[in-house]
């Protein structure tokens, strides 16, 4: 599922589809592939959390920073609109995806592989052929309460998004939180293994969160939901609590 935003720090809202100078830059997309086998699909919440950790993992990987082999394309991607596309794979499709340069992040039941950004029209064929739409999952039982000492990515209770769309949105939320942290705070989060939870906020809590000055994702509205829809609030202990 495609999701689009721009880098936080533009004068315009970083997630609305408003023309900015970033639209003039070459456009890239961050591919994520979730493994969904017919007989053993991952739990929805675990897939959402694993996708968010996958985004954080590639942002902090030594190949993606400084003079690393992925560093230039990561910079190019973040200088334009921040696009993420979630596709699904199983069996031989997953094995072909794993053979491409990237990082596989494993949750309790989910596996998500994240790849360095690619041009919008330059996908590797083994990724381009994978399905995008219709990626949906269920939780076999309700998730437990979020750990109050760890970051939480809160979902808008008024939106109905597919699992693929929501995975992209939680990735955006994690990325916004990462940008807001100091180097020391990023190091501590990474060394702890990027603990985080994804939960749907209660309506009253959502109102508090969106008014609390925390990182807020607003979708460009290309798929599933209306432009400007607030989708995720990133609550990190280092950034305070709403």
């Amino acid at each position: 599922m495609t999701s689009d935003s721009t880098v936080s720090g533009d004068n315009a809202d970083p997630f609305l589809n408003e023309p900015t100078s970033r639209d003039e830059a070459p456009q890239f997309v961050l591919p994520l592939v979730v493994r969904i086998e017919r007989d053993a699909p991952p739990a929805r919440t675990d897939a959402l959390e694993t996708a968010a950790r996958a985004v954080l993992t590639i942002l902090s990987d030594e190949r993606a920073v400084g003079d690393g082999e992925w560093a230039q394309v990561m910079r190019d991607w973040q200088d334009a609109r921040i696009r993420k596309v979630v596709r699904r794979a199983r069996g031989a499709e997953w094995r072909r995806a794993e053979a491409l340069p990237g990082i596989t992040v494993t949750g309790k039941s989910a596996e998500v592989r994240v790849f360095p950004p690619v041009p919008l029209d330059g996908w590797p064929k083994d990724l381009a052929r994978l399905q995008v739409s219709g990626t949906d999952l269920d939780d076999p039982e309700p998730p437990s309460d979020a750990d109050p000492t760890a970051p939480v990515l809160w979902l808008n209770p008024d939106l109905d998004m597919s699992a693929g769309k929501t995975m992209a949105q939680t990735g955006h939320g994690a990325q916004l939180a990462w940008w807001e942290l100091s180097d020391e705070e990023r190091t501590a989060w990474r060394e702890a293994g990027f603990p985080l939870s994804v939960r749907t906020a209660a309506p009253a809590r959502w109102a508090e969160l969106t008014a609390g000055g925390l990182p807020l994702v607003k979708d460009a509205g290309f798929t599933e939901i209306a432009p400007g829809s607030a989708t995720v609030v990133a609550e990190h202990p280092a950034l305070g609590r709403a």
Side-chain angles (χ1 to χ4, degrees), residues 10-229:
D10 281 347
N11 291 330
D13 189 302
F15 288 88
L16 293 181
N17 190 29
E18 299 169 348
T20 74
S21 61
R22 298 186 184 281
D23 292 298
E24 300 173 5
Q27 300 294 303
F28 292 82
V29 61
L30 186 78
L32 297 106
V33 176
V34 56
R35 184 179 185 180
I36 304 180
E37 300 291 347
R38 277 200 181 98
D39 59 348
R44 179 185 176 97
T45 296
D46 189 42
L48 302 181
E49 294 171 349
T50 304
R53 291 201 309 274
V55 171
L56 293 166
T57 299
I58 197 168
L59 285 171
S60 62
D61 191 276
E62 62 182 11
R63 291 165 289 184
V65 298
D67 296 324
E69 60 184 292
W70 300 340
Q72 185 58 56
V73 73
M74 290 290 288
R75 287 191 290 268
D76 291 342
W77 169 60
Q78 293 180 89
D79 283 344
R81 288 194 175 271
I82 301 300
R83 300 173 186 260
K84 298 180 180 73
V85 172
V86 178
R87 297 176 183 257
R88 65 182 187 272
R90 64 172 180 262
E93 296 172 332
W94 176 256
R95 291 190 291 273
R96 286 192 293 268
E98 278 202 305
L100 298 174
I103 305 168
T104 297
V105 177
T106 302
K108 296 175 182 176
S109 61
E111 290 180 78
V112 176
R113 189 163 180 83
V114 60
F115 303 85
V118 298
L120 282 178
D121 58 355
W123 282 71
K125 64 180 181 179
D126 285 331
L127 297 183
R129 62 177 56 149
L130 298 177
Q131 292 287 331
V132 179
S133 61
T135 300
D136 216 343
L137 300 165
D138 295 312
D139 280 316
E141 56 187 44
S144 60
D145 291 341
D147 180 353
T149 68
V152 183
L153 303 175
W154 293 103
L155 303 176
N156 185 338
D158 296 323
L159 296 179
D160 183 15
M161 299 183 288
S162 68
K165 177 75 171 181
T166 312
M167 288 171 70
Q169 297 297 308
T170 57
H172 288 334
Q175 188 167 2
L176 280 185
W178 180 255
W179 284 334
E180 293 290 331
L181 298 177
S182 68
D183 288 343
E184 293 77 10
E185 291 162 346
R186 290 178 179 181
T187 297
W189 199 10
R190 182 179 64 247
E191 291 182 348
F194 293 122
L196 59 85
S197 300
V198 175
R199 297 291 187 272
T200 300
R205 179 64 175 141
W206 179 252
E208 294 174 354
L209 288 162
T210 54
L214 295 171
L216 173 66
V217 179
K218 291 186 178 180
D219 191 59
F222 291 142
T223 58
E224 297 194 24
I225 58 177
S229 296

